Amino acid sequence: MSFFTHLECSVPCGAPPFDPRQRQFLCRCGAPLLARYDLARARGWSRTTLPGREPTMWRYRELMPLFDGEEPISLGEGFTPLLHARSLGASLGLDRLYVKDESLNPTNSFKARGQSAAVTRARYLGASTIALPTAGNAGNAAAAYSAAAGLTCEVFIPKDAKRPFVDECRLYGAHVTLVDGLITDAGRIAAEQGGPRGWYDVSTLKEPYRIEGKKTMAYELAEQMDWRWPDWIIYPTGGGTGMVGMWKAFDEIEAIGWVAAGRRPRMVSVQADGCAPIVRAFDEGAEKARPWEGATTVADGLRVPRAIGDFLILRAIRASGGTALSVPDVAMVAGSLKLGAREGVSAAPEGGAALSAVERLVASGRIKPHESVVLFNTGGALKYLDALAG
Ligand SMILES: Cc1ncc(COP(=O)(O)O)c(C=O)c1O
């Protein structure tokens, strides 16, 4: 059984609670909605119940958006390994450098978590067609989970996206529309076509449940690190659901007493030099991010010129005492190749970007040798091989 109760504005703007038994998307004020749980009752849920549970993100089902007796749409997502990167750590003077390897999820990226949760709710709410704009990985995950749920999937993807992303959507039976533009243009066209047809829109943060899947990365980290937080989390950031989800999870985990409230990990958003709206807003001290003009990067997942949850990402970075930085494509590719050659990890350029950020933060003295660092390899390398081969 789950302690899921209602949905609430993320600002919060004062709007009354939203009923999760109805389709809900954004708040009336335009901000994302967040799932809320009865955390006072959840304090009675002991973490000692976890060992022996299924090795997926649904092992935390009490704090996931499920109703009584409901089974999620699952392909085995989550509970990915936390690898001790000894070789790369030694070269950086870090004893405790870890890679949370999200490439081992179904469809090879952390997007599986979000889509497992979103498609589970969409099916419950009677959707027959799932629709979304995507940089690539989210579309692959949505297509796979829609197939598993018996739903139709409509994917809108920039026409210059790497070919394997398009082919994999089709492999799962999705209908793909190639869009002349960026993910933001794809989002507009998906809404124009899907709105009148009643398609269920699972765009990043426009529906409240992808973030619930992503938050489980923090639950797993806590469990895998024996209920202590690392000093640093290094996260490649596009739309930001991972950052926002993990920050939400910290609130929940502290509220139920699984990790003592106190010092949380410093959150680092890593973006591309060619598309860094969050980094610019962080440096300017702004609460929201201006859209990035002419976005370009080899890391498709980071080519997000405008994030609807920008203020939530910026809040998390600042509240944690973290930072935001961008890296050039050439450094991302070098990072992917190092993760491969030194640790045996299949890393997308997004994961390579996270390693490049660690190198910079160590070189500048911001990350200290005794500190523990978790970098997120958000996806695998195979769909980017052309770019990685240079
Ligand atoms: C491999 C990879 N890493 C990172 C991201 C960015 O994720 P988020 O939108 O949660 O910031 C994406 C998004 O497409 C991605 O595919």
Side-chain angles (χ1 to χ4, degrees), residues 110-111 135 137 214 235-242 301-302 348 350 378-379 384:
F110 73 132
K111 299 282 178 182
N137 279 314
K214 299 282 187 71
Y235 200 86
T237 305
T241 33
L302 304 187
E350 289 85 342
T378 42
Y384 303 74

Side-chain angles (χ1 to χ4, degrees), residues 160-227:
D160 59 354
K162 293 173 184 54
R163 183 67 196 262
F165 289 120
V166 176
D167 290 343
E168 192 175 336
C169 287
R170 294 188 174 132
L171 175 78
Y172 302 123
H175 179 251
V176 179
T177 303
L178 299 175
V179 172
D180 190 7
L182 297 175
I183 188 169
T184 31
D185 303 300
R188 184 177 34 78
I189 295 168
E192 278 164 15
Q193 293 200 13
R197 296 179 172 87
W199 294 348
Y200 189 97
D201 185 344
V202 293
S203 301
T204 301
L205 287 175
K206 284 193 186 154
E207 63 74 57
Y209 301 114
R210 281 172 69 174
I211 194 177
E212 293 303 292
K214 299 282 187 71
K215 80 177 182 187
T216 58
M217 294 188 290
Y219 280 81
E220 288 172 23
L221 260 193
E223 189 176 353
Q224 291 170 321
M225 299 194 86
D226 206 15
W227 310 107

Side-chain angles (χ1 to χ4, degrees), residues 53-74:
R53 286 194 177 190
E54 75 268 45
T56 78
M57 70 176 196
W58 295 101
R59 66 200 275 111
Y60 311 106
R61 62 171 59 209
E62 282 86 339
L63 289 179
M64 291 293 282
L66 280 181
F67 293 119
D68 285 354
E70 197 188 359
E71 276 309 313
I73 308 294
S74 176

